[in-house]
Amino acid sequence: MGKLLTSCLVLTLAVPVLADEGMWLPNQLPMIGQALEAAGLDTPPADFADLTGDPMGAIVSLGGCSASFVSKQGLVATNHHCAYGTIQFNSTPEKNLLENGFVARSPEDELQAAPGARVYVTLAVSGVTDEILAKVPDDADGAARFSAIENAEKELIAGCEKSPGHRCRVASFHGGLQFRLYDQLEIRDVRLAYAPPSSIGKYGGDIDNWMWPRHTGDFSIYRAYVGPDGLPAEPSPDNVPFQPKHWLQIGRDGVDVGDFVMVVGFPGRTNRYRLASEVDEVITWSYPRRIKRYQEMLDIIARETEGRTEAQIAYAGLISGLNNGLKNNQGMLAGFAHSKSVQRKQALEVELAAWIAADPEREARWGAAVSELESILDKQRDHRERDEALSSIKWNQLLSTTSRAYRLARESEKPNTERKMGYQERDLPRIRARIERSARTYDAQVDMALLRRALERYAELPASERVPALDDWFGLDGELETAEAIAGTLHSMYMTTDLADSSERLALLDLDRVALEASEDPFVRLAVALYPTWIEMEEVEEALDGRLLEARPRFMEALLAFETARGTEIYADANGTLRATFGNVIGYTPQEAVIYLPFTTAEGVAAKATGEEPFDAPQPLLDAIAAADYGPYSSESVGSLPVCFLSDVDTTGGNSGSATLDSKGRLVGLLFDGNWESMISDWDFLTDVTRSIHVDVRYMLWVMDRIDGAGNLLREMGIEPSFAAGSGP
């Protein structure tokens, strides 16, 4: 092993950083073909520009995570944490799939995914900037601009969704400078085919989250189903596996140090082109607030679920999300402390201003771009304390459900085309699925405790920032002790509501406005009382957003022209649309005298094992590691079974589950995390230390083969099992 580590170390330091930052639109890849080829791509870059070709046609979205088809019978590979909600939904204290994992020995054994689970297959993308902006009147104020753009988007979406089974969306780029229409096939019958136990799929838990070295087998497998006619259909025993036109070949030999990798998926959101003042705000205000709130929520959930297994299972997903957000925000602040991001943004703005001022035509066009944008942002910050406090209250499960039901009833009185986005007929299945999922994620004791703390934080606001309807409801008038007033009212509400039953929550969706306004349920009555306030606040927010939809594009137009003049190729901020990012397998140096190698191994899993969560690796796995029983999945260059690896690709949230491809477009891993130093990648990219973490395909195959005996799935993926355990069905 000594010679191996020395070899890896030399390679780690010798491999040049060929990739630059960027989450590229597929149609941009031919433009940066020279950089792709220099990094090691063996496939023509133009092949990746075809969204319906190979391999891009195999890349799918789960609506929050990324995934890819890995068989001609609709198997979908993604992260364990992306399937966590489904694993949780199907778990009970008696049959805890979170603890035990799951293997479907045949398609008949597969489990229905959590309500609302989807697989989205991209069919077409078209530019619609001219169509949308043509609907905006020349003299439109903020509210009129927002409304005109929203109505134009609804019109385009309605036309696109005339095809059965299609789900469409309009995505804006560069703050509203450009728009594209995405047409996707919406597969609504999704089933769980395989998930390792959390002691593999979540190994290291929140302690190792965002950290390197990592030993997490973060992968699971779904299967997509459609009706007998091949079109998307609601879940049914009559449905058949979806047969994609393209699926990824498995690169069972994996990758080595320095090898080319490309990650393709649907990154959520980045903010790389924000002003220095916006970056400063998240550092000094937003992230510190979130950290405090997330920790409070975690403490409350831990206290209220102690000794109650069913409640702990119900809130496992939320706990995981809160821990992830907490550590992410902490990492953001740590990264900003060393990045000088604000100073570099300020310097860029000075350079941009000088470039604009140097030409009268540029000055006339963009001279006020930054100042106009800043003035709107200042206006948005006026009520940030109030908005932050109210967001926690709106999150409450019962209040959010009743508020959504009442808003839906109000919107349903309008023609479908005039309803707000999110409340049209196309949105009803999602609203219903959200409530159905809550049947397994709700506990009254926890829900009440979280709402109580949110209300206490709200009550600390100055009177001028408070909501009269909310104050009146909870008696926050100074006559009673605030905490007592909140606690007493909440206790009465939870004791008298019928909405603890998810079927009663679902029934709300079938009631009209009159019936809801006549309801005696306290949560429905509170939702009705607060409705005028929420609408008024929404209208103010939309008017400001409309002004931003004019100011932000003007700033971005200036910045793009400036960067183009400097010879820089520009990528758009991530916005949930399909992107590709490329780089190489490479380690890094986080600080002086510390060098991180790019691979972790199975021996590292065993070295971390304590027998206690989250380092509770299953005994069969530890026994196999002790015997070095790796079969064909071991790597000669790594000297063992690789578990995870690092690369310098540019990724963010939403990329979870993204396919990691080798130079020939074969699946060699799944992206599932970033390193601690990459936390600020939503805002900034630090070439020397920003790294992404992938679970190695060799570890995935070995676990399925040697540990879980999922031979039926392996063969379907084109891999012949190598162990007796994997030679089963």
Side-chain angles (χ1 to χ4, degrees):
M1 284 293 287
K3 289 181 65 177
L4 165 72
L5 291 176
T6 302
S7 172
C8 283
L9 178 57
V10 171
L11 284 169
T12 299
L13 299 179
V15 173
V17 180
L18 295 172
D20 199 355
E21 66 177 275
M23 301 176 191
W24 303 95
L25 290 164
N27 66 288
Q28 290 182 290
L29 295 180
M31 305 175 195
I32 58 171
Q34 186 174 356
L36 286 163
E37 291 167 3
L41 179 65
D42 287 339
T43 305
D47 289 357
F48 292 89
D50 182 4
L51 300 184
T52 59
D54 187 24
M56 299 300 277
I59 308 304
V60 297
S61 170
L62 303 181
C65 276
S66 302
S68 51
F69 287 120
V70 291
S71 85
K72 62 181 179 181
Q73 292 296 320
L75 286 183
V76 177
T78 189
N79 287 156
H80 179 272
H81 77 260
C82 293
Y84 201 80
T86 284
I87 302 168
Q88 174 199 29
F89 188 83
N90 283 284
S91 292
T92 64
E94 297 75 30
K95 188 179 180 181
N96 193 335
L97 304 187
L98 291 171
E99 288 186 3
N100 303 321
F102 174 75
V103 183
R105 303 300 176 184
S106 69
E108 290 74 26
D109 295 332
E110 292 166 357
L111 301 175
Q112 198 68 56
R118 298 287 189 268
V119 171
Y120 297 97
V121 184
T122 302
L123 302 176
V125 181
S126 56
V128 292
T129 304
D130 292 342
E131 291 93 319
I132 287 180
L133 296 184
K135 299 296 180 68
V136 180
D138 292 336
D139 59 347
D141 61 10
R145 176 175 292 274
F146 184 93
S147 179
I149 290 175
E150 183 180 59
N151 289 336
E153 290 180 356
K154 287 193 292 186
E155 184 177 343
L156 287 166
I157 290 170
C160 179
E161 291 184 351
K162 287 181 179 178
S163 301
H166 287 226
R167 183 80 180 187
C168 305
R169 63 169 290 210
V170 174
S172 67
F173 296 80
H174 300 308
L177 184 63
Q178 299 170 348
F179 297 87
R180 288 184 174 88
L181 176 66
Y182 286 77
D183 183 359
Q184 296 179 311
L185 193 69
E186 182 184 35
I187 298 176
R188 304 191 296 275
D189 189 347
V190 184
R191 305 179 195 178
L192 182 67
Y194 173 82
S198 293
S199 53
I200 293 176
K202 200 182 176 185
Y203 190 68
D206 298 310
I207 294 173
D208 273 3
N209 193 19
W210 303 105
M211 307 304 289
W212 186 260
R214 198 70 175 275
H215 301 84
T216 310
D218 198 347
F219 71 101
S220 290
I221 298 176
Y222 281 130
R223 193 189 300 275
Y225 282 80
V226 291
D229 58 0
L231 295 176
E234 293 301 318
S236 167
D238 297 328
N239 288 346
V240 298
F242 176 68
Q243 297 187 346
K245 294 180 180 178
H246 302 279
W247 60 93
L248 298 178
Q249 300 301 310
I250 307 299
R252 66 174 298 161
D253 294 330
V255 286
D256 205 346
V257 179
D259 282 356
F260 173 92
V261 287
M262 175 181 284
V263 168
V264 282
F266 296 81
R269 186 162 301 280
T270 56
N271 304 284
R272 301 275 176 83
Y273 304 110
R274 299 291 177 164
L275 298 181
S277 66
E278 294 178 274
V279 179
D280 182 70
E281 182 178 17
V282 299
I283 295 171
T284 60
W285 194 85
S286 300
Y287 290 147
R289 289 299 186 98
R290 288 183 194 172
I291 289 170
K292 181 179 179 181
R293 177 155 55 102
Y294 291 168
Q295 187 60 65
E296 281 186 344
M297 292 175 70
L298 285 166
D299 292 344
I300 290 169
I301 295 170
R303 183 185 71 232
E304 300 297 331
T305 62
E306 185 175 3
R308 299 194 298 134
T309 303
E310 190 169 353
Q312 290 168 349
I313 292 174
Y315 281 84
L318 178 59
I319 291 169
S320 179
L322 288 171
N323 273 313
N324 185 64
L326 175 66
K327 199 163 187 178
N328 178 281
N329 284 190
Q330 291 170 333
M332 290 272 196
L333 293 183
F336 278 127
H338 300 287
S339 69
K340 298 183 179 179
S341 298
V342 174
Q343 294 92 321
R344 284 187 285 111
K345 289 280 187 184
Q346 291 169 336
L348 176 62
E349 289 170 25
V350 170
E351 292 180 50
L352 175 62
W355 179 78
I356 292 173
D359 180 87
E361 184 176 340
R362 296 198 292 258
E363 176 66 29
R365 187 169 185 173
W366 301 312
V370 173
S371 61
E372 288 176 354
L373 183 53
E374 289 280 23
S375 67
I376 301 170
L377 294 171
D378 285 340
K379 189 69 175 175
Q380 281 191 321
R381 296 176 185 124
D382 284 348
H383 300 291
R384 65 183 183 180
E385 299 270 0
R386 178 201 66 187
D387 295 343
E388 193 267 341
L390 291 177
S391 67
S392 298
I393 296 171
K394 291 180 179 180
W395 175 88
N396 173 262
Q397 287 206 52
L398 296 191
L399 184 56
S400 66
T401 298
T402 53
S403 295
R404 188 174 293 112
Y406 184 62
R407 178 69 181 271
L408 178 63
R410 298 284 296 246
E411 295 293 333
S412 296
E413 296 174 347
K414 309 173 188 175
N416 187 55
T417 56
E418 296 179 16
R419 299 180 193 175
K420 291 295 295 182
M421 295 182 77
Y423 293 94
Q424 295 180 288
E425 291 175 5
R426 67 192 291 268
D427 302 305
L428 296 183
R430 289 186 174 186
I431 294 174
R432 186 171 294 276
R434 189 180 293 117
I435 297 175
E436 289 173 343
R437 287 197 303 271
S438 72
R440 301 290 182 88
T441 61
Y442 173 80
D443 177 86
Q445 181 177 326
V446 178
D447 201 57
M448 180 168 65
L450 289 171
L451 180 54
R452 176 175 177 175
R453 179 57 191 142
L455 287 163
E456 289 172 351
R457 291 176 64 243
Y458 158 79
E460 295 170 2
L461 292 172
S464 60
E465 288 289 278
R466 299 233 291 269
V467 175
L470 204 56
D471 285 358
D472 291 345
W473 184 270
F474 286 98
L476 305 181
D477 56 7
E479 295 181 6
L480 292 173
E481 186 69 30
T482 296
E484 293 178 3
I486 292 172
T489 303
L490 282 180
H491 181 265
S492 174
M493 291 174 69
Y494 279 89
M495 288 295 292
T496 57
T497 185
D498 293 325
L499 298 180
D501 186 336
S502 62
S503 63
E504 294 291 336
R505 299 198 291 275
L506 275 172
L508 295 176
L509 302 182
D510 299 322
L511 301 181
D512 60 17
R513 173 183 176 178
V514 173
L516 288 170
E517 290 177 351
S519 173
E520 292 298 319
D521 187 275
F523 283 94
V524 176
R525 290 171 52 217
L526 178 56
V528 172
L530 289 173
Y531 177 79
T533 299
W534 299 154
I535 293 298
E536 181 182 351
M537 292 172 62
E538 181 181 282
E539 290 173 349
V540 172
E541 182 180 348
E542 288 181 354
L544 286 172
D545 286 343
R547 291 179 61 192
L548 279 178
L549 283 169
E550 184 175 18
R552 184 84 70 184
R554 185 177 293 121
F555 165 71
M556 286 304 304
E557 186 181 48
L559 182 61
L560 287 169
F562 173 58
E563 295 291 4
T564 300
R566 299 203 295 184
T568 305
E569 187 72 34
I570 298 295
Y571 61 91
D573 265 322
N575 59 357
T577 59
L578 184 60
R579 304 295 180 93
T581 176
F582 68 97
N584 300 90
V585 177
I586 186 172
Y588 72 106
T589 300
Q591 62 190 56
E592 183 181 8
V594 176
I595 297 174
Y596 282 148
L597 300 177
F599 284 96
T600 57
T601 66
E603 284 75 19
V605 175
K608 284 183 175 178
T610 64
E612 300 293 332
E613 188 180 354
F615 298 106
D616 52 344
Q619 192 59 47
L621 182 128
L622 294 176
D623 292 343
I625 293 173
D629 192 11
Y630 305 137
Y633 306 113
S634 181
S635 165
E636 183 177 351
S637 62
V638 175
S640 182
L641 172 67
V643 175
C644 298
F645 64 89
L646 290 173
S647 77
D648 57 358
V649 299
D650 186 1
T651 58
T652 188
N655 270 127
S656 290
S658 291
T660 303
L661 308 179
D662 66 8
S663 62
K664 299 184 184 301
R666 298 171 299 196
L667 183 74
V668 292
L670 296 176
L671 183 287
F672 72 92
D673 208 354
N675 63 331
W676 182 251
E677 292 79 10
S678 75
M679 293 296 90
I680 64 169
S681 61
D682 284 1
W683 299 86
D684 204 352
F685 185 88
L686 308 177
T687 302
D688 292 340
V689 295
T690 296
R691 297 291 183 268
S692 291
I693 304 175
H694 317 249
V695 58
D696 196 295
V697 72
R698 290 165 287 194
Y699 188 61
M700 295 165 56
L701 298 175
W702 180 75
V703 169
M704 294 178 70
D705 191 346
R706 173 65 176 82
I707 306 302
D708 287 329
N712 56 314
L713 299 174
L714 288 170
R715 282 190 287 270
E716 186 176 334
M717 294 161 60
I719 302 296
E720 188 60 33
S722 299
F723 294 92
S727 62

